Amino acid sequence: MDAIVLAGGSPEDPLAARYGVPSKTLAPVRGRPMVEFTLEALKATPEVDRIVYVGPVPAQGLVPAPDAVLPDQGSLLANLESGLAEARSARVIVASGDNPFITPEAVRDLLERAPEAALVYPIVPKAAVEARWPGMRRTYARLRDGVFTGGNLILLDKALFERALPMARKIVALRKKPLALAGIVGWGVLLKLLLGRLTIADVERRAEQLFGMPMRALVTNHAEVGVDADSEEDIRWFEGEDARANGS
């Protein structure tokens, strides 16, 4: 299976600007570009045959080196389309390049437990994140099934996902128009979310209706799937892992 690493971004992103890099995924963590930790985890996953990297590359290159490197196309969806066109396998893993926490064990858990669907999206219970990093700030959604944060890994069926691209482009185009976007998602769905009555099954059904393909959520207790580095504070959480592991 191929893996796609989405490492694009803007040099105006606060974290990128802070370190003078073209994308926050290249911000230094433990003296290395952040994205190298994602590449390392995927390289150590036996099921991953090739890694397709989409984004800028530092002058010194990347270690481990991706099998294919594509330039940043200017948006997350365009980068995903570019990566999918390069990928050779029927199903692919898509990983964000701003998650230095990810581990091979978390990737394998997704692959081993993924249900049959065109898109499988891991979600992490708040309790799992809090158990590992008490007080870490994340964005959570309260569902009737529990409180979850979204993951930074996705499992995709290439052929089926192509059918969803028109709707995906439409949603991306409306991302700064909340009323229009709410009209697409459905006011009933949003009301149930606000009232805490929305279930995972509700979300799956509405996603399937919108995108015309089976989409499933996968609850995982691998907390590292649900975190990324958007700020220097997040990087300090990651760099503190060594100290916590050594009991200091």
Side-chain angles (χ1 to χ4, degrees):
M1 184 180 295
D2 284 5
I4 299 171
V5 177
L6 301 178
S10 168
E12 297 177 3
D13 176 274
L15 198 55
R18 164 70 177 81
Y19 292 101
V21 290
S23 167
K24 70 173 182 177
T25 60
L26 299 182
V29 177
R30 294 183 189 161
R32 304 172 60 187
M34 183 193 315
V35 72
E36 288 192 348
F37 294 94
T38 301
L39 294 171
E40 207 167 62
L42 292 169
K43 200 78 172 179
T45 303
E47 294 84 352
V48 174
D49 295 317
R50 296 174 67 246
I51 298 176
V52 177
Y53 177 94
V54 188
V57 177
Q60 70 273 22
L62 292 165
V63 179
D67 297 283
V69 176
L70 304 173
D72 188 350
Q73 301 298 311
S75 73
L76 181 66
L77 187 56
N79 285 343
L80 176 56
E81 290 186 66
S82 178
L84 287 171
E86 173 65 27
R88 298 172 183 172
S89 57
R91 299 185 89 192
V92 298
I93 305 165
V94 181
S96 66
D98 59 353
N99 183 0
F101 300 87
I102 200 66
T103 63
E105 293 75 21
V107 178
R108 296 199 75 183
D109 179 64
L110 168 63
L111 295 176
E112 291 172 0
R113 296 195 302 115
E116 286 298 322
L119 184 151
V120 179
Y121 181 55
I123 57 176
V124 184
K126 181 178 181 179
V129 178
E130 283 291 316
R132 182 163 178 186
W133 298 292
M136 177 182 275
R137 288 181 294 179
R138 295 289 100 194
T139 300
Y140 294 99
R142 184 175 296 278
L143 305 178
R144 193 158 63 182
D145 312 80
V147 182
F148 302 94
T149 189
N152 293 286
L153 287 174
I154 299 176
L155 188 60
L156 282 181
D157 181 301
K158 281 180 58 177
L160 290 177
F161 185 70
E162 288 176 0
R163 299 194 334 225
L165 284 173
M167 177 56 72
R169 294 188 188 104
K170 186 175 183 180
I171 288 176
V172 169
L174 294 175
R175 67 188 184 280
K176 295 184 179 180
K177 299 179 180 179
L179 290 178
L181 191 57
I184 292 178
V185 173
W187 291 102
V189 171
L190 294 177
L191 180 60
K192 289 179 75 172
L193 175 62
L194 290 173
L195 295 175
R197 297 177 181 172
L198 194 67
T199 67
I200 293 173
D202 290 333
V203 176
E204 291 174 338
R205 280 192 296 269
R206 184 55 183 150
E208 188 164 343
Q209 292 169 356
L210 283 174
F211 292 97
M213 64 179 189
M215 304 172 75
R216 297 289 181 268
L218 177 69
V219 178
T220 175
N221 285 313
H222 284 273
E224 59 271 24
V225 172
V227 297
D228 52 23
D230 291 322
S231 66
E232 288 186 80
E233 181 184 7
D234 293 332
I235 289 178
R236 285 195 295 272
W237 276 104
F238 179 68
E239 292 183 327
E241 288 280 276
D242 281 342
R244 285 188 287 274
N246 294 327
S248 58

